[in-house]
Amino acid sequence: RWEWISHPQPQPHGAAPDTAAAPARVVGKLSGGERCQAAHVDRSTTVTFMCTPGAEKLGRVTESSTCAYAVELETPAAC
């Protein structure tokens, strides 16, 4: 199951993102994955889409706790 945790702040039409500020981030969570025997929970993944110009790029991928993963994806789609 996918759910949005946070949404980007709206920008005026045609406005460039403020590069001096922290990059815009949009966060979503995918839950209800395969059962994890190590922790007796369903696997989940939190995806942070980070606003960056240019090509999409996979950032850090970590296991934030047992069977819970965190992924950072750099993409202009988050701007």
Side-chain angles (χ1 to χ4, degrees):
R1 181 183 101 194
W2 178 262
E3 65 178 303
W4 289 107
I5 296 173
S6 70
H7 300 277
Q9 297 299 318
Q11 301 256 345
H13 181 67
D18 181 4
T19 55
R25 294 172 184 248
V26 183
V27 181
K29 183 173 185 178
L30 184 61
S31 59
E34 184 176 313
R35 189 77 174 165
C36 175
Q37 298 305 316
H40 305 289
V41 296
D42 294 340
R43 294 179 193 275
S44 65
T45 302
T46 300
V47 181
T48 302
F49 300 91
M50 299 172 23
C51 172
T52 54
E56 293 181 342
K57 179 177 134 184
L58 182 62
R60 289 190 308 174
V61 178
T62 59
E63 188 171 12
S64 53
S65 62
T66 304
C67 301
Y69 308 97
V71 177
E72 292 180 354
L73 179 64
E74 298 175 9
T75 176
C79 298

